[in-house]
Amino acid sequence: MHAFDDFPGLVTTEESLAPWVWFRLGGPAAYFASPRRLDELVALLKRCREQGIAFKILGGGSNVLVRDEGLDALVVHLESPFFADVQVRDQIVEAGAAVPLTALISHSARAGLAGLEVLTGIPGTVGGALRGNAGGRQGAIGQFVRRATVLDPAHEIQVRDRDDLSFADRASNLDDPVILSAEFELEPEEPEAVVRRMRRIWIIKKENQPYGHQFSGCIFKNPSTDVSAGALIDQAGLKGTRFGGAEVSDRHANFIIAHPGAKAADVLQLIDRIRQRVWQQFGYELELQIQVW
Ligand SMILES: Cc1cc2nc3c(=O)[nH]c(=O)nc-3n(C[C@H](O)[C@H](O)[C@H](O)COP(=O)(O)OP(=O)(O)OC[C@H]3O[C@@H](n4cnc5c(N)ncnc54)[C@H](O)[C@@H]3O)c2cc1C
């Protein structure tokens, strides 16, 4: 008997999270579910509240490192078609939380709507990207948001308008338990011109990222707009530093590569070592961008 016994076929137990996250590392979730509709999602969250069970929402898993011991929680994976719809009307694109950023960008470009192509090459879903205001030097997702629909802590649907929302460097005030969907307001432009920009951004992105291994996105936030975490780690001579199966990427020092056999503990130890060294050498306290579960 377990807390979700009456959700047959929906909740699994001791599910390994490694296949669901980009690092391909980490232990199991005590409970795991991919709700097919909103009512199932709400029912799961209500059960969590009744039973005092923690929960986490998982999107594309590109910004999460799961500890080796796993989580004593329900991990809710948003991926079903119900949460992955995209609609375009006039200059507005409405997308569910589970829509992959690649799909959001290509739908918009095909409809002759420009703006979101600045996110080209960033993996993950609309929900995860909004939570952390994903972006880069060219811009970030938050600047295009017109409104977001969320589930609040009382499991009620709330629409949060632009005036209610704030986005900062890899951060937002969208801290409601679940982001369900968002509307983006874009500028009309020839689809070919948007696609050309996408290609240019993609090439730059590929040149600056590791490839062929398991990794997540940037591990640390930049200390400020002028100071990049990657440059500090590089100047500290840490590129190529290894701990167990985890290694600071040679191509971009703010990425950690997990070699076959690596443990999440290796990545965490390497993170500690980087932080210590950057603090000692430059006096910057690096803050994590990646979420550690
Ligand atoms: C190769 C690579 C390159 C990257 N480059 C960039 C980059 O250039 N710029 C950048 O900003 N990021 C970058 N990232 C990080 C990552 O892509 C973004 O943070 C991303 O959009 C996260 O989306 P996700 O769906 O994978 O989120 P996840 O990793 O699944 O989750 C991240 C966080 O968001 C929360 N979350 C997810 N969905 C929801 C939801 N529906 N409601 C509430 N909370 C939710 C999770 O609980 C978690 O706290 C990169 C990652 C990789 C692997």
Side-chain angles (χ1 to χ4, degrees), residues 163-226:
D163 296 347
D164 258 1
L165 301 172
S166 66
F167 294 96
D169 192 30
R170 303 295 79 79
S172 76
N173 68 344
L174 271 168
D175 50 7
D176 302 273
V178 191
I179 299 163
L180 293 172
S181 65
E183 286 182 17
F184 302 94
E185 189 157 10
L186 306 172
E187 290 296 321
E189 199 180 329
E190 281 299 307
E192 292 74 21
V194 184
V195 170
R196 272 199 301 279
R197 261 201 315 282
M198 282 167 67
R199 285 210 193 97
R200 271 205 304 277
I201 296 171
W202 178 248
I203 289 166
I204 296 170
K205 189 92 183 157
K206 283 283 121 185
E207 274 170 0
N208 291 305
Q209 269 178 14
Y211 48 71
H213 293 279
Q214 304 161 328
F215 51 89
S216 77
C218 289
I219 299 291
F220 301 103
K221 293 184 180 181
N222 291 327
S224 71
T225 38
D226 313 323

Side-chain angles (χ1 to χ4, degrees), residues 91-93 114-115 143-147 183-187:
Q91 287 176 229
I92 309 294
V93 177
Q143 73 198 73
F144 305 104
V145 178
R146 185 164 170 262
R147 57 167 64 126
E183 286 182 17
F184 302 94
E185 189 157 10
L186 306 172
E187 290 296 321

